[in-house]
Amino acid sequence: MKTKFVIALDVGGTFIKSSLVMNGCSIQASQFQVPSLASEDASTTLQQFMTIMQYQYMFGTTLSNDLSAAVWHFGIAFPGPFDYEQGISYIQGLCKFESLYGMNLKKIIRSLLEANNDQPWAAALVHAPIRFENDAKLFALGISTLFPQERFISLTLGTGLGSAFIDQGKIRIEGEGVPGNGELYDKPYRHTMIDEVFSRPGILHAAQERGFWIEGMDVKELADLARQGNLAYQQVFEEFGSCLAEMLDPYIVGFGAQRLVLGGQIAKSFDVFGPALEQGLLPHHLSIYLYI
């Protein structure tokens, strides 16, 4: 029986998380994360992918005595906008992966492996099928195994805002209360669009507008100051939570969501924006559950 390996990458604006999946099971010892280098030039970012792929192949050699019987695949979760079928990135103006705009990553990854064909790891992987899918949708699909009978909205809050609408373990991209393709990031909110408010740049901009931002501060530093009782920074996160509830209200009602799932780096600061979010949802959504 052939061993099926999948080299899995979850590519985010801050980190790339990776795992080797063997015959359908993620190998915990193979799991790690590295900086995504999303603001670097294309060559640097792509080399990071190659380094991860080489590492996971070498890890796989420790698990199988007969690599000649092994079948290799790549599964890559990637933020949008992105042509997932063709493997082409269309990310622009979102402070990440600008250098990959318009590139066919399937073809480029294949060509980089071919260029290193004299190396055993590259030779073994050069014909491996490559599949891309939206990172936020795959995150939600994974979470759905915990709530297989539920209808819920999932958000990944980080460099940008990712979203997915899940109904009984299936991704919904249309229907009552579901925005086109299940994507919220480019929908209007007040005088801008959702992604520009509910994201890392959105929080930093809110702090900067109020004169609370200092050079070098990131969301984590702002949240730490809020936790320490600094009222100015508490106000930034309270407004973030209240606005998030306001933005989500029509989608929760329209979709009939039973649960709201939050992930991504900003979800780690739920303790400072969560109370305002819960308070904002309370009037109309007494039965909605939150899962962080």
Side-chain angles (χ1 to χ4, degrees):
M1 179 179 174
K2 291 193 173 184
T3 302
K4 180 180 178 181
F5 286 113
V6 179
I7 296 175
L9 281 71
D10 176 12
V11 181
T14 306
F15 295 107
I16 300 174
K17 282 76 70 178
S18 180
S19 176
L20 186 65
V21 180
M22 180 178 178
N23 293 332
C25 296
S26 178
I27 307 302
Q28 187 170 0
S30 73
Q31 296 172 9
F32 68 96
Q33 70 176 27
V34 294
S36 58
L37 307 181
S39 61
E40 301 291 335
D41 61 87
S43 177
T44 302
T45 304
L46 290 165
Q47 184 54 51
Q48 188 76 308
F49 291 178
M50 290 295 106
T51 300
I52 294 168
M53 292 169 182
Q54 180 180 5
Y55 174 88
Q56 294 294 16
Y57 173 82
M58 298 306 295
F59 191 94
T61 65
T62 68
L63 301 176
S64 177
N65 295 324
D66 184 13
L67 283 179
S68 65
V71 179
W72 292 87
H73 297 73
F74 294 111
I76 304 176
F78 212 92
F82 196 98
D83 182 333
Y84 294 101
E85 185 67 30
Q86 299 298 319
I88 302 172
S89 174
Y90 291 111
I91 298 173
Q92 197 173 41
L94 298 177
C95 304
K96 58 185 178 184
F97 302 117
E98 303 273 351
S99 64
L100 301 182
Y101 181 83
M103 290 187 175
N104 187 313
L105 298 186
K106 274 189 183 180
K107 291 183 178 179
I108 290 173
I109 289 170
R110 191 85 65 210
S111 66
L112 289 171
L113 291 169
E114 288 172 351
N116 289 280
N117 207 27
D118 57 330
Q119 302 294 320
W121 67 273
L125 299 176
V126 71
H127 297 300
I130 303 171
R131 292 187 65 182
F132 289 89
E133 185 50 271
N134 180 265
D135 56 345
K137 287 183 171 63
L138 290 180
F139 167 77
L141 203 58
I143 292 292
S144 73
T145 61
L146 302 176
F147 314 113
Q149 302 304 315
E150 287 190 10
R151 175 176 285 212
F152 65 86
I153 297 173
S154 171
L155 303 181
T156 50
L157 301 166
T159 310
L161 179 139
S163 61
F165 290 68
I166 302 290
D167 184 13
Q168 297 186 50
K170 297 187 184 301
I171 298 171
R172 299 301 182 197
I173 60 172
E174 60 184 3
E176 188 74 23
V178 181
N181 204 31
E183 294 175 347
L184 288 168
Y185 78 96
D186 59 349
K187 302 303 177 287
Y189 177 72
R190 296 191 177 180
H191 303 298
T192 182
M193 68 177 188
I194 285 173
D195 198 78
E196 292 184 0
V197 178
F198 306 105
S199 61
R200 172 180 174 268
I203 290 176
L204 297 182
H205 179 70
Q208 192 172 23
E209 267 196 331
R210 292 162 178 75
F212 302 152
W213 186 77
I214 300 170
E215 186 74 33
M217 277 186 167
D218 212 327
V219 174
K220 183 181 182 300
E221 287 71 39
L222 299 178
D224 285 342
L225 287 165
R227 292 183 185 104
Q228 292 164 19
N230 188 305
L231 294 177
Y233 295 101
Q234 285 177 353
Q235 183 184 9
V236 171
F237 285 97
E238 286 169 2
E239 183 166 343
F240 179 85
S242 296
C243 290
L244 187 58
E246 178 184 69
M247 180 274 287
L248 286 169
D249 187 276
Y251 297 103
I252 291 172
V253 173
F255 187 57
Q258 300 160 280
R259 186 179 299 272
L260 174 63
V261 172
L262 300 181
Q265 293 297 312
I266 292 174
K268 294 177 180 178
S269 302
F270 180 79
D271 58 312
V272 289
F273 73 81
L277 169 62
E278 292 176 312
Q279 189 66 32
L281 293 175
L282 192 60
H284 306 111
H285 311 297
L286 295 174
S287 61
I288 196 163
Y289 298 98
L290 280 169
Y291 182 79
I292 314 305

